[in-house]
Every structure is written in structure tokens, then in C-alpha cells.
Amino acid sequence: MKQSKLLLNTLRESPGEAEAVSHQLLIRAGFIRQLASGIYTYLPLGRRVLRKIEQIVREEMDAAEAQELLMPAMQPAELWKESGRYSLYGPELIRLHDRHDREFALGPTHEEVITTLVRSEINSYRKLPVILYQIQTKFRDERRPRFGLLRGREFLMKDAYSFDIDWEGLDQAYWSMFHAYERIFHRCNLNFRAVEADAGAIGGEGETHEFMALADIGEDTVVTCSSCDYAANLEQAESVKAISFDDEIVLTTDELSSSPEFETGLEAEKFHTPNLRTIDELIANLHIDPAVILKTVVFMADLQAVAVVVSGKDEINEIKVKNYLGAEAISIADADTVLKLTGVATGFIGPKGLSLPVLIDQSVIHMTNAIAGANEKDYHYRNLHVRRDIPLNHIGDFRNVKEGECCPRCKEGTFKFYKGIEIGHVFKLGTKYSEQLGAAFHDASGNEQTMIMGCYGIGISRILSAIIEQHHDEDGMIWPVSIAPMQVHIIPVSVKDEMQVNTARQLYDRMVKQGVEVLLDDRDERPGVKFKDADLIGLPVRIVVGKGAADGLVEFVERSRQEKEMISLEEAVGRATELLHAFL
Ligand code: 9G3
């Protein structure tokens, strides 16, 4: 490929709005151009990387005996109404009408389409199990697209769906996909962790794992243990049981009132706390440790208001609350709603005498001298004895874990946090869609059974950015050979020097003949410009043909090492072929 012919315009400056390094570099190196917010054109070099990632995904999916198909982006609204999800999604689901005024959605995912397809194509256990996948554009109208390809509104996803006759079959499909994902991300040279995740909005049964590429720009927090292999999304990471509260003594309130230590502890008493609404105001004015405060927050879980109580030193984990309640949607109740529901101004809400269900974190159950809102404006309680004074109907893990905390699995290691980019997600769906949409089969004895499903996603375009986040330096991208847009960059220093041009040409022809993907910088540009562009684009191998060529020597540079070596033409061809041999 001649660089003078390639549609490639590099920029010295990155666009102001690009915060993520990968976004800046993709624009500066001419890999993508924004058409609209969250919507991008892939220019030739960007497209070549995308195709390489797709190819790796296809090879591993096919090796796992998944079958590739291609489903439409335009999905009839009826499908989403049949699955009951049409009303569940708001503005994120892009809806449109066709010329006959029929309603459609642009597909954000394809559970409905694939399940109704399989419903009509398969009805015997003999045709199961099957794993079907596609690599296709998804549409999700993100409120705030950002970081270039990391959070777009139109993006490339590989989505696969497995159909089995029973749960054992699903388990096999799930782990087969899980290990295929490990191979895919290793081949993409990504540093990733598979973490236990939250079954999320689609709420299938059983386990689900997210694959996170570690990167500071990542929006997810990965919790890992320093000594065992426990790893979880912060949304899901379990708190260790409060050590001072023995598990089996989870007594009910009336059983508690007879226990001996009940007598200890002062009576709970209301005291005047004018305008002390927040934890910080309480701490500042009462000179107390946040740990003695019971932080109480009211949430709307679907249409139900609940109060959640954790220690003042902790944060409430909404996903844990949502999962405990089995709700589809959860959000903090606004002040007006709280006032209307409880008659209490926010900031003075507390678990004693509150007219809402109280979910209390297991880490505060043992407390006897706690402070909490008194459910009366400008008043709090002190000396609250949790087991004596508060209804304990919902005890659970509702807090975010913290770095340095003890690991709940091995009870040896401590938690370490990393930021992660979600690049893959595997789910056990069970019968959530197959039941609703009637995907059934006749088993060996002729009885009709509901298929057991799994779904498995990989963010193809997101991987492009994740790789750049993990492989770059201050001069530009550093492409792993496995997915580099081209493999060797040949740069004649001066296109006016016939000897250099001819030598470069020879080198180019020889390598192309060996199947190497070569970019020849045949532009009439100053050397500095050529080298800066080469650093920015970041092809794995660079061969500079300068004055040394008169003595048969060329400069050989591996982009990941930036060491310059003067070696012979022969050696240069040998070294390049050796580096690329696994990919030729
Ligand atoms: C929607 C909209 C956004 C969505 C969904 C539906 C995420 C939705 C979850 C999944 C689950 C898996 C198959 C591949 C792997 C992920 N965002 N999800 O269902 F209508 Cl607007 O997509 N689907």
C-alpha cells in the first residue's frame, strides 16, 4: 500500500472534546471521524483493525461450534411488546415508523429476534444444542456518548445466543463461550479480568461474568483479591460478614428482646439537631465518628419506596438493593417524594419509627449507641440500640466494599480496586425469553419443554479503543502484530534520492511477495513529518531507508521498543518475517 494514495490525514493536535487517550489518538491518526455525537466513520486503517478483531472473534466462535448468521437492525415493535420489554426501555431504545406507519426499533440487542427465529426453526431436542452468533451494528441512544468508541450510540457487537434442552447444557455452552472469550482477549493482547457481575436489567437466572480490560479510563470498578482469584464488579462485590456478629444469631426482634445483653445500652433519646441534614454537618457539629451514624436513604425500587440503612462511613450499593428486591429499576427518591411518603424532610429520615420498609446492612446490626434521623425535622436519635429499637425484617449486604477490606472468599487477602472497560459479558438467561416468547422443543419422550438460553456479547468497536488505552506511548499507538492495521512501515528518508527510493521499493516488493502487509511512505515529505506520522500510526515494525542504504544498511525499529538498529537489507527482511511469522 502506498501512503501517498491512502486516505489518511494525521493531525498534530487532538480535538478539544476528546478526553480519552484512545479517542484522541483514533482521531489524530486518522482511524475514525465523527459523523455525529457517538456516531463514527471508520477510515481505512481503522476499518482494517476492526476487521482483524472480527476475524479473531469469528475464528474462536467457529472453533466453539457457534454458527454465524446476520439479523436485521430494524426490529418490529411487536416483538418487544411480546417480550414485555418495549415499555421497560426509555429514550435509549431508538424507535421509528416505516412508510406504512408501522412501529420499529433499531436493535440495541437481539434476544427477541433470535428467540422468535429459533421458535420457528427448531422444535425437536435432536436439533439442540445450538449456539448462533452475529457481528452486527447495535443502536443505543446513550444520553451522554463519550470517550469516542468506548461509549457510542452506534457500535459493532458480536452477540451470541445458546439454546439447550437443560441447565447442564447451558452450563456447558456458558463455559465454552467463557473460555473462547479468554482466547479472544489474549489474542488481542488485552490485559483483562473476568469478574463476577450483576445479572442486570435482563435478569437471567444464575451467574454472569463481565470481561474487563484494565484501564484508568474505564467506567467500571473491578474488585480483586490480593491472594485468591476472587474478582467482581464493584456492583456485585460481597462484603465480608461483620466479624462481631455471628451468622447464626440472626434473631427476630421479639427473640432478641429476651437476650441477656438487651438491658445494656442507654435508652434511645431524641436530641435537637437544627439544620444538621448531612453526615458531614452531623460530624462537624457533633464531633462524632461517621461510623456511629446510621445513614438512611429512601429509594424507589420500581414503584415501591424503601429505606436503606448503612454506616455513615459507607456508600449504599444500588445494584445490591435492586437485586435484593428483584426490582427492574431503582433510583434515589427525590426530596418531594420522601416528604410526601413519610412526612419527613430529607436529612432527618431514620430507621426508628419510619413508615417504610427498612433494609439494613448487616454491618450495623451490632451497634448499640448509634445516631440516626428521628423522622422529625431538626431532630436525631442517639444511643440507638439497633437490635432493640429497629425492625430487622430485611438484613443484607447493601454497601459498596472498599479497598483494603478483607476478601469474603479466602478471608486472607484484601481488596484492590482497578478501573475497567467492559469488553465482554456472558449471561445465563435460563427461560426468561424462551418462556415469554414460546421457544419450546419436544424432548425424547415427546413432551414439550422450554429451551434454556444463554447470551454472550463482545464489544468489537470497544475493543479497538481498549487496545489503544493499553498500548500507546506519548508518540502514539503501539499496535500488537495480531491486529495491527498493517504490519511493516517502510520509509525512504528522501524520495529525491533514487538509491533510497529503489532500495525501499525492492524491500517493499520482496515483503509483499511474502504476504507481509506493508505501508510504503512514498510521500514527498520532510523526514520529521514521516517519523512523527509513523509513531502516531504505530505499526509494529518500521524500516527506514536512508544514506546507510548505500552500504546496504537500513534502520530497523520495533515500535514497541523504539530501539534503532542498523542492519542489512537481508537481515531486515529476516527480522520482519520472524516477528510476523505467526501471522503470515
Ligand atoms: C435495550 C436497550 C439497551 C440495552 C438493552 C436493551 C443492554 C439490553 C443487556 C444486553 C444483554 C446481552 C446479548 C449480547 C450480550 C448482552 N442495554 N441490554 O438488553 F432495549 Cl435500549 O444487551 N444481549
Side-chain angles (χ1 to χ4, degrees), residues 89-129:
Y89 287 91
E92 195 187 355
L93 180 63
I94 299 178
R95 304 156 204 256
L96 62 107
H97 289 84
D98 69 6
R99 61 189 303 171
H100 307 295
D101 214 22
R102 289 193 206 104
E103 221 174 349
F104 285 79
L106 287 185
T109 182
H110 282 68
E111 278 81 6
E112 282 80 0
V113 177
I114 194 72
T115 306
T116 47
L117 174 84
V118 169
R119 171 176 75 187
S120 54
E121 298 300 314
I122 294 179
N123 61 17
S124 158
Y125 72 102
R126 288 192 182 82
K127 302 297 281 178
L128 293 173

Side-chain angles (χ1 to χ4, degrees), residues 312-375:
K313 63 182 177 20
D314 284 342
E315 292 305 318
I316 293 173
N317 179 317
E318 290 187 5
I319 300 291
K320 289 183 180 176
V321 174
K322 180 171 80 94
N323 288 346
Y324 177 88
L325 296 167
E328 287 285 334
I330 186 152
S331 59
I332 290 188
D334 58 47
D336 300 349
T337 309
V338 174
L339 191 58
K340 207 166 64 215
L341 285 173
T342 64
V344 181
T346 312
F348 299 102
I349 293 274
K352 179 178 166 60
L354 182 64
S355 59
L356 294 176
V358 173
L359 274 60
I360 191 156
D361 189 79
Q362 41 102 24
S363 66
V364 300
I365 302 294
H366 63 288
M367 290 171 70
T368 57
N369 59 352
I371 287 178
N375 292 317

Side-chain angles (χ1 to χ4, degrees), residues 175-195:
W175 290 105
S176 162
M177 288 289 102
F178 186 100
H179 296 309
Y181 278 38
E182 288 179 318
R183 288 191 292 275
I184 288 166
F185 300 135
H186 277 308
R187 289 180 62 184
C188 291
N189 274 71
L190 279 167
N191 175 17
F192 69 94
R193 293 287 184 286
V195 303

Side-chain angles (χ1 to χ4, degrees), residues 191-246:
N191 175 17
F192 69 94
R193 293 287 184 286
V195 303
E196 296 176 24
D198 153 57
I202 62 170
E205 272 83 26
E207 64 202 306
T208 166
H209 285 83
E210 281 167 346
F211 288 80
M212 298 286 190
L214 301 189
D216 290 343
I217 199 73
E219 293 181 347
D220 287 285
T221 300
V222 174
V223 178
T224 61
C225 170
S226 57
S227 61
C228 76
D229 60 2
Y230 178 69
N233 188 319
L234 178 62
E235 290 174 353
Q236 183 77 11
E238 302 157 21
S239 297
V240 69
K241 283 260 175 290
I243 36 178
S244 63
F245 183 69
D246 201 344

Side-chain angles (χ1 to χ4, degrees), residues 23 27 32-42 94 106 137-141 145-146 148-149 151-155:
H23 187 193
I27 300 281
I32 63 171
R33 286 291 179 262
Q34 178 171 310
L35 180 63
S37 166
I39 298 172
Y40 293 91
T41 298
Y42 295 91
I94 299 178
L106 287 185
T137 302
K138 294 285 183 286
F139 298 86
R140 293 179 187 178
D141 201 353
R146 53 197 305 222
L149 303 180
R151 181 167 292 278
R153 292 195 288 169
E154 183 177 327
F155 55 94

Side-chain angles (χ1 to χ4, degrees), residues 397-426:
D397 173 6
F398 302 120
R399 62 186 281 276
N400 274 335
V401 298
K402 290 186 177 117
E403 280 208 285
E405 254 178 37
C406 170
C407 169
R409 292 289 160 78
C410 67
K411 303 227 188 327
E412 310 261 320
T414 53
F415 281 152
K416 179 117 186 54
F417 285 9
Y418 296 94
K419 296 308 282 181
I421 299 169
E422 181 190 333
I423 50 178
H425 201 158
V426 290

